Amino acid sequence: MAPLILAAVAVATPTRAERVVSAPAPVLDAAPTRKLETAVFAGGCYWGVEGVFSHVKGIKLAVAGFAGGPRNQRVDYARVSGGDTGYAEAVRVTYDPKQVSYGTLMRIFFSVVADPTLLNRQGPDRGTQYRSALFPLNGEQERAARAYLAQLGKSGPWRDPIVTKVERFTGFQDADRYHQDFLRKNPRHPYILRWDAPKLAAFKSMYPSLYRAQPSA
């Protein structure tokens, strides 16, 4: 993800976008542990990840931020963009497990948001800060995440090896307000039009029963 001027450059860059695929339903899902659950996903630029998840029925809150680095290190967009902090752009979602499961969120994620075969990149963005990763917050999520990645490696629609990792959760730091709800607030932004609006459109088309027009907070 590149801000403002750099975004226009990224739009013009001849690079492969994530393919829209029909990821399989997970064989093993995570059993709910509380009334509202939280999950953290990293899948490239957090504008698109947050933009898609905010339209999923059952999602109460979607927040752009950073995960995956040292617990005691404070970061922001500028620091993470250097690619040497260990942090990845990520999104924290709060969801109602009676309406949508962790497994379904993973299925949506790999169908329209992130290509699990791309190492340290998504769309036009390069660097470890744009890696795809799952950050389980409890044992149920970890079991489901590891099982699903193994399932995708055996029966998924991708020809290349799955490189998305399950990573230890060390905390989540919110991104600046400028980056929150970016897709909704900036629908005509060049980067959004080229890379993220198609993801949202694909989600609406592939999973109409899970799509809601009004995004979460």
Side-chain angles (χ1 to χ4, degrees), residues 22-77:
S22 180
V27 173
L28 177 67
D29 209 335
T33 61
R34 59 188 65 190
K35 186 175 181 180
L36 288 180
E37 296 280 3
T38 302
V40 176
F41 298 84
C45 170
Y46 46 32
W47 291 351
V49 183
E50 185 273 337
V52 170
F53 277 138
S54 68
H55 283 272
V56 176
K57 289 180 180 178
I59 296 289
K60 304 300 182 182
L61 182 67
V63 179
F66 312 100
R71 187 180 299 274
N72 60 351
Q73 182 180 1
R74 295 298 302 172
V75 296
D76 55 20
Y77 174 75

